[in-house]
Amino acid sequence: MVSIAEAFQAGLAFHAAGDLARAEQVCRQVLQADPRHSGAAHLLGLIALQVGQHQKAIEFISAAIRLDGSQPQYHAHLGDAHRHAGQLETSARCYQRALALAPHFAEAHDALSTVLQALGNATGAEAASRNAVRIRPEFAAAHHNLGVALRALGRKSEALDSYRAAIGLRPTLAESHFDLGSLLHEQREFAAAEAAYQEALRLRPDYVDALTNFGFLAQTQMQLDQAISLFGRVVQLTPDSAVAHFNLANVYMFKQMRQQAIAGYQHTLRLQPTHAGAYHNLAVLFNELRQPDPAVDACEKGLALDPKSASLCENLAFALHTQGRGEEAIGWYRKSIELEPDRSIGYGNLLYALNFVPGIAPAAAFAEHLVWAKRHAEPLTALAPPHDNDRAPERRLRVGYVSAHFCRHAVNYFTEPLICAHDRTVLEIYCYSDVLVPDDVTARLKNAVDVWRDTGAVSDERLAGMVRDDRIDILVDLAGHIGGNRLLVFARKPAPIQVTYIGYQNTTGMMAMDYRLTDERADPTGQTDEFYTEQLVRLPKSFFCYQPYEESPPITPLPALAAGRVTFGYFNNYTKVTPQVMSAWFEILKRVPDSQLLVLAAKGGYVEHRFHELARQNGIDPRRITLFDRQSPSGYLRLIQQADVALDPFPFNGHTTTCDSIWMGVPVVMLEGDTYASRFGSSVLANVGLEDLIARSVDEYVNIAVELAGDLDRLAHMREELRPRMAASALLDFAGFARNVEAAYRRMWQTWCARSRS
């Protein structure tokens, strides 16, 4: 007959072999024969712990301790059971009882360290780990936990040593490789961090935390395809994790793979409907795609979850503005500023929006720009050190251009011809490019300049340092207060002369910005100077040159000749369409029977419904108005081809679209106002001999459009003549324009040199 002792030994053997079912069966038989057998009760507790039955484990091991409380292992394992059950304070007391019985119980010290760390007691965790290491210097897990405690205490160098010690003792410890990589990542030692993550994943290919952190590292280093692969693997391993889908969508968004990003955020919200960040990023994407209706919906749902999100308020403002609701948008921009007054870009968006809304006095808008500058720019300018650039007035100058739009972007159609036409014997050209997803235009520009710096991942402070290190003489801003600007770099005054140009239709408001390039038409002498902090430099003939689309199609016959009716077109940003503009358009349609209006705007939602409803209220059949969603460049040009006459918005003129329309042979009717934003488009018309299409009142605007529509012979002649006329004008004289700009730069430089010597 088998004794109880022999049966228990058999149970231990089954347990050691991994046969938990037979081990449990034997232990129950032992307890049935001897209800006071503490070893069998303890082993049943261990088996329950191994299969995840934590409460049952607590019950069995507690029973074993009641039978024999002198066994330190029993107390330690009870601590394990309470720890896995989430009862951390009770777990810590169990380990402490084990250590009271066996002070040299290294595993109990190590386990106590883990629990104390989870309880936020990093100091106690360090002491426990040090005890474990002192008792067993070869205990790799204890070295690892010591590293965890030291990192929590901010002693990062010591933590790195502990992780490395753990790896030296046990190279297969994936957690130590991961934590080493994580800390190196935090310290921006990216190459070493990557090696550590790769080793952790070699040891454990499905290590989700390592895949996730490695994904973040790849994203930081702009290795976006690798980041997509890594986060995609995390999604495969954890398909029900909203965080995993969110992280992958973020990389898609960063890479401007917008449809994939939208799908990822929508999946995130199916898994976690309260994820405000997903709503926020959806709003950003829909705004980028000029889809205001879903953007408004995402913002409203996000704000219901996070009503104090300044960024959601900002995105709601942008979406409302895209719907033509400018005054509502300004209210939400102000709300965003109230929530986050120290966020420079939020106030900048308000400044940009002020240019669109009728009735805002130039002095009031100027005052708002000064408020922004006083809050965000001037404190940085006050700290700027002096410049020691070589003051030779006639030497070759270093000119730096700063932009996020060195790519296929509207601003680039004006900046690329200038940059490429510069005389390299008088200027050395540097480009500081914040383009995150470069394209063929980026590559072309990169090859055309002397020095190219990719700065998309560089902070404002660091970029200012780069400009100083490059000893730039004249630094040119190509954004102003539009998105992607680096005005806080300019606020740090990294170059002795700073110029703002082309990207923004108003002052920056900054004392650190010395000059603004313009022309007499856009800024008549004495009319607008008082509303700029910059000194206006009026270039001869035009403040810009224009590079047409490479894929521009040939000029087509006047559509009205075949259709028997005149087609008007609006191809600008719908944000500029105010109620006053719509009223003028409806009057034109009334006075030109059977005429049609093509509008580039979001179809099928709020904008179309509002447009058609207002048309009905004004006695216009909505079927005479056709809206077109955002187009590809070729689709956009084909849309312009369908029009006989283009109608410009007010008080914020068009510019790029005016150039594009003229290039396609379509005349543009424009209303000129009193500020740059309401005048800069007229430089286009003035330079191609279309002064008579520039109105000074709404009534004149309407009359000009109606008269044009009634003279098909003139329109047909314009159709044929406008492109060659534009090609022969100052607007496409790249070399001549570059010489004018270079002369302006030289005068600025000579002025600075003279002031510096005095």
Side-chain angles (χ1 to χ4, degrees):
M1 182 177 179
V2 177
S3 68
I4 290 175
E6 290 171 331
F8 180 62
Q9 288 302 315
L12 289 173
F14 286 134
H15 182 260
D19 190 344
L20 301 186
R22 294 184 71 183
E24 180 181 359
Q25 182 182 15
V26 169
C27 285
R28 289 188 181 280
Q29 290 171 349
V30 169
L31 280 177
Q32 189 174 8
D34 180 5
R36 298 189 60 78
H37 197 292
S38 65
H42 172 249
L43 188 55
L44 282 172
L46 282 184
I47 293 168
L49 184 59
Q50 285 176 270
V51 299
Q53 297 176 348
H54 304 139
Q55 192 55 43
K56 186 179 287 187
I58 290 169
E59 292 171 3
F60 278 122
I61 300 173
S62 295
I65 290 172
R66 286 194 295 272
L67 293 168
D68 182 1
S70 66
Q71 301 296 322
Q73 282 281 5
Y74 292 4
H75 292 281
H77 287 148
L78 182 59
D80 293 341
H82 280 294
R83 175 162 55 91
H84 286 291
Q87 300 160 2
L88 299 182
E89 292 181 354
T90 304
S91 173
R93 289 194 292 271
C94 292
Y95 293 133
Q96 287 163 346
R97 290 192 199 101
L99 290 167
L101 293 167
H104 295 288
F105 190 173
E107 287 80 359
H109 282 293
D110 182 58
L112 177 60
S113 174
T114 299
V115 172
L116 292 175
Q117 184 66 44
L119 287 168
N121 183 357
T123 301
E126 181 199 359
S129 288
R130 289 202 182 279
N131 285 331
V133 168
R134 176 178 51 79
I135 294 164
R136 277 183 55 196
E138 75 285 1
F139 193 174
H143 284 281
H144 174 88
N145 273 345
L146 177 57
V148 173
L150 290 167
R151 182 177 182 181
L153 290 167
R155 292 152 62 184
K156 296 177 182 179
S157 177
E158 294 175 73
L160 289 172
D161 291 340
S162 292
Y163 291 141
R164 288 173 174 137
I167 291 168
L169 291 164
R170 187 174 161 193
T172 59
L173 197 60
E175 291 84 353
S176 292
H177 289 286
F178 168 71
D179 279 356
L180 175 63
S182 177
L183 183 49
L184 290 168
H185 187 171
E186 181 182 312
Q187 295 184 318
R188 303 185 68 80
E189 296 182 34
F190 294 149
E194 180 174 341
Y197 289 146
Q198 287 177 331
E199 183 61 16
L201 289 167
R202 187 188 67 79
L203 294 167
R204 194 193 303 173
D206 293 345
Y207 196 162
V208 168
D209 287 345
L211 286 165
T212 300
N213 274 25
F214 195 1
F216 287 131
L217 176 60
Q219 186 174 351
T220 299
Q221 295 182 295
M222 298 299 293
Q223 297 168 352
L224 302 183
D225 289 336
Q226 184 180 37
I228 287 171
S229 176
L230 291 162
F231 286 131
R233 178 65 179 147
V234 175
V235 166
Q236 290 175 349
L237 293 168
T238 58
D240 294 331
S241 168
V243 171
H245 287 278
F246 182 75
N247 289 338
L248 177 58
N250 285 343
V251 188
Y252 283 135
M253 181 177 177
F254 203 63
K255 199 176 178 185
Q256 296 187 4
M257 299 172 66
R258 294 186 177 97
Q259 296 304 325
Q260 294 91 329
I262 287 169
Y265 292 130
Q266 289 172 335
H267 199 107
T268 299
L269 289 166
R270 283 193 288 274
L271 293 168
Q272 186 182 336
T274 58
H275 200 303
Y279 280 120
H280 171 271
N281 289 359
L282 278 175
V284 172
L285 288 165
F286 286 130
N287 276 332
E288 289 177 354
L289 291 167
R290 294 299 190 271
Q291 296 177 13
D293 293 6
V296 168
D297 180 68
C299 287
E300 289 175 344
K301 289 176 178 175
L303 285 167
L305 296 167
D306 185 6
K308 294 188 180 299
S309 170
S311 187
L312 276 167
C313 292
E314 202 173 293
N315 274 281
L316 178 56
F318 186 93
L320 291 170
H321 207 181
T322 305
Q323 291 180 329
R325 299 156 71 178
E327 292 184 1
E328 291 179 71
I330 285 176
W332 280 101
Y333 280 131
R334 293 198 185 281
K335 175 68 172 176
S336 170
I337 295 165
E338 289 173 13
L339 290 168
E340 204 170 322
D342 293 332
R343 188 164 177 264
S344 166
I345 193 66
Y347 209 127
N349 287 333
L350 168 66
L351 299 181
Y352 187 43
L354 294 175
N355 293 292
F356 293 78
V357 180
I360 295 178
F366 180 58
E368 291 275 15
H369 285 77
L370 295 181
V371 170
W372 173 86
K374 182 178 180 180
R375 180 177 297 173
H376 300 289
E378 310 310 348
L380 297 172
T381 306
L383 300 174
H387 302 91
D388 60 355
N389 300 51
D390 177 2
R391 289 168 170 77
E394 301 302 328
R395 69 171 174 83
R396 187 184 184 209
L397 299 178
R398 286 188 179 179
V399 175
Y401 289 96
V402 181
S403 179
H405 305 128
F406 292 134
C407 57
R408 286 189 174 269
H409 186 277
V411 172
N412 187 67
Y413 287 100
F414 304 100
T415 55
E416 182 179 357
L418 168 63
I419 290 171
C420 293
H422 272 313
D423 182 349
R424 295 302 191 272
T425 66
V426 298
L427 299 182
E428 184 179 3
I429 304 300
Y430 284 61
C431 279
Y432 300 91
S433 171
D434 280 352
V435 174
L436 297 178
V437 182
D439 56 22
D440 59 316
V441 173
T442 313
R444 190 166 66 223
L445 274 166
K446 193 171 185 177
N447 290 329
V449 302
D450 297 285
V451 178
W452 184 274
R453 308 272 192 230
D454 286 308
T455 54
V458 176
S459 69
D460 289 337
E461 183 177 12
R462 176 66 191 117
L463 178 50
M466 291 169 65
V467 172
R468 277 190 177 271
D469 291 343
D470 287 336
R471 303 185 68 78
I472 297 298
D473 300 307
I474 301 176
L475 190 67
V476 185
D477 158 52
L478 299 174
H481 284 286
I482 67 173
N485 75 73
R486 287 297 197 120
L487 288 180
L488 297 188
V489 170
F490 287 81
R492 291 171 165 85
K493 196 64 173 175
I497 298 170
Q498 301 193 147
V499 182
T500 187
Y501 174 56
I502 203 71
Y504 181 56
Q505 294 75 26
N506 212 319
T507 181
T508 63
M510 300 164 55
M511 294 299 107
M513 198 70 76
D514 302 292
Y515 297 98
R516 175 180 173 82
L517 298 182
T518 183
D519 65 23
E520 187 65 31
R521 186 82 201 201
D523 283 298
T525 300
Q527 180 169 312
T528 58
D529 301 68
E530 64 181 305
F531 303 124
Y532 294 95
T533 53
E534 305 86 5
Q535 180 179 336
L536 297 182
V537 174
R538 295 173 174 88
L539 298 171
K541 297 181 181 178
S542 172
F543 70 90
F544 70 96
C545 55
Y546 162 72
Q547 179 171 281
Y549 283 95
E550 294 174 353
E551 59 269 36
S552 297
I555 300 298
T556 57
L558 187 72
L561 296 177
R565 63 171 181 264
V566 171
T567 300
F568 296 100
Y570 176 75
F571 312 111
N572 210 296
N573 186 345
Y574 188 78
T575 305
K576 298 180 181 181
V577 179
T578 64
Q580 294 87 340
V581 170
M582 295 178 78
S583 178
W585 290 351
F586 293 143
E587 182 62 25
I588 292 168
L589 292 176
K590 286 179 186 177
R591 291 175 55 182
V592 183
D594 298 326
S595 60
Q596 304 287 305
L597 175 61
L598 311 179
V599 179
L600 194 58
K603 279 183 62 64
Y606 173 87
V607 169
E608 186 169 38
H609 174 78
R610 176 173 176 265
F611 213 126
H612 286 172
E613 180 60 32
L614 288 173
R616 277 190 289 268
Q617 292 175 16
N618 282 270
I620 302 296
D621 184 345
R623 288 176 294 183
R624 295 173 62 189
I625 301 168
T626 305
L627 273 65
F628 291 83
D629 281 321
R630 196 176 188 185
Q631 304 285 303
S632 66
S634 60
Y636 159 73
L637 294 174
R638 287 194 300 270
L639 183 59
I640 293 175
Q641 282 182 319
Q642 297 178 39
D644 300 293
V645 178
L647 300 174
D648 197 55
F650 51 86
F652 197 150
N653 288 169
H655 186 224
T656 308
T657 53
T658 302
C659 292
D660 295 337
S661 296
I662 298 296
W663 186 250
M664 296 305 299
V666 180
V668 181
V669 179
M670 179 174 296
L671 174 58
E672 188 176 68
D674 298 326
T675 63
Y676 177 92
S678 63
R679 298 183 62 88
F680 73 119
S682 63
S683 286
V684 183
L685 301 190
N687 272 280
V688 292
L690 294 179
E691 285 267 9
D692 59 332
L693 300 189
I694 302 172
R696 275 72 182 178
S697 69
V698 175
D699 286 344
E700 188 180 1
Y701 175 93
V702 172
N703 289 336
I704 291 171
V706 172
E707 289 171 8
L708 265 181
D711 192 346
L712 296 189
D713 289 341
R714 184 186 179 197
L715 286 175
H717 181 72
M718 284 182 171
R719 192 83 169 191
E720 296 175 356
E721 291 296 320
L722 285 180
R723 180 176 291 186
R725 194 188 302 177
M726 190 177 195
S729 75
L731 302 184
L732 269 74
D733 179 8
F734 302 161
F737 180 72
R739 301 297 84 76
N740 290 336
V741 172
E742 289 158 9
Y745 288 164
R746 181 61 62 183
R747 289 192 296 272
M748 295 173 192
W749 178 250
Q750 290 170 342
T751 299
W752 184 78
C753 291
R755 287 174 182 167
S756 300
R757 288 194 298 269
S758 60

